[in-house]
Amino acid sequence: MRVVTFNIQHGAGGDAAALGRACAGLQADVLALQEVDVRVPRSRFVDEVAVVARATGMHSVFAQTCRVGGVGRYGNALLTRAPMADVEVVRLPRVGRTERRGAVLASVDGVTVAATHLSIHQGESAAQLTALVELVRERPQPWVLLGDLNRFPDQLDALAGFDLADTAEPTFPADAPRARIDHIAVVGLRIESVEVLPRQPVSDHRPLAATLISQ
């Protein structure tokens, strides 16, 4: 199973065709997208989930976290080659009036997958990751948790017991990466390979991919 997490920066530039090509080129079986726009003015009112689903031929679910521009929706998307079951969209803990954060959980070919985009505020993202891990632990193994966690590898204590698909390469910013804040973590699967993929023209992050196999 090839899993990829990619913060698409709402398809920066509004080129839907480029977004579709970029995501299709990732050749993912499971694709977690963050900063996804649906009918938002800044991205030319495009339904980015539908664009990527058509380009990749994958099943999709959109997990809205907030409204943008009065008419648009914004959040995370999970796309899978195999059909999804037991899909759940959840809200994560929030402090004050910070940006609303959420996650989507699903079962894919017997694997529990959780995709998310956590807060840039460290105290808040720590609470959010802890809450999400608790939800994942309520579901059957194997587990895959992936997304833009906005936390460095040494700030992932909540993922104790998970294997981190780690590499020395950073993922952000895309032009000259310095930070590794995008992560893939697993339980009950073996990480065969992990790589930071080349910069895509639609985002300020580089995609992170891992190939997972049964233990």
Side-chain angles (χ1 to χ4, degrees), residues 169-194:
E169 294 181 71
T171 56
F172 178 84
D175 286 337
R178 299 182 301 276
R180 177 63 173 277
I181 55 177
D182 304 278
H183 298 283
I184 299 169
V186 306
V187 169
L189 295 167
R190 184 159 65 86
I191 301 166
E192 186 175 52
S193 64
V194 56

Side-chain angles (χ1 to χ4, degrees), residues 8 10-24 37 39 42-56 201-202:
I8 63 171
H10 54 80
D15 187 337
L19 175 62
R21 288 192 301 270
C23 290
D37 279 355
R39 309 297 184 194
R42 68 185 171 198
S43 48
R44 304 181 186 179
F45 298 97
V46 168
D47 182 338
E48 293 182 337
V49 183
V51 166
V52 175
R54 284 195 300 268
T56 59
V202 295

Side-chain angles (χ1 to χ4, degrees), residues 100-186:
R100 172 67 67 186
R101 304 287 177 162
V104 55
L105 297 93
S107 176
V108 185
D109 275 345
V111 176
T112 294
V113 177
T116 193
H117 183 195
L118 303 185
S119 174
I120 61 173
H121 305 288
Q122 293 303 293
E124 190 173 39
S125 64
Q128 291 167 348
L129 184 56
T130 296
L132 182 55
V133 168
E134 289 175 357
L135 292 172
V136 169
R137 291 187 183 279
E138 293 175 358
R139 288 177 169 242
Q141 292 188 24
W143 301 325
V144 178
L145 188 154
L146 70 171
D148 176 357
L149 304 186
N150 273 314
R151 299 181 71 78
F152 300 128
D154 62 355
Q155 297 175 318
L156 299 175
D157 292 348
L159 291 174
F162 283 72
D163 292 323
L164 193 63
D166 210 353
T167 172
E169 294 181 71
T171 56
F172 178 84
D175 286 337
R178 299 182 301 276
R180 177 63 173 277
I181 55 177
D182 304 278
H183 298 283
I184 299 169
V186 306

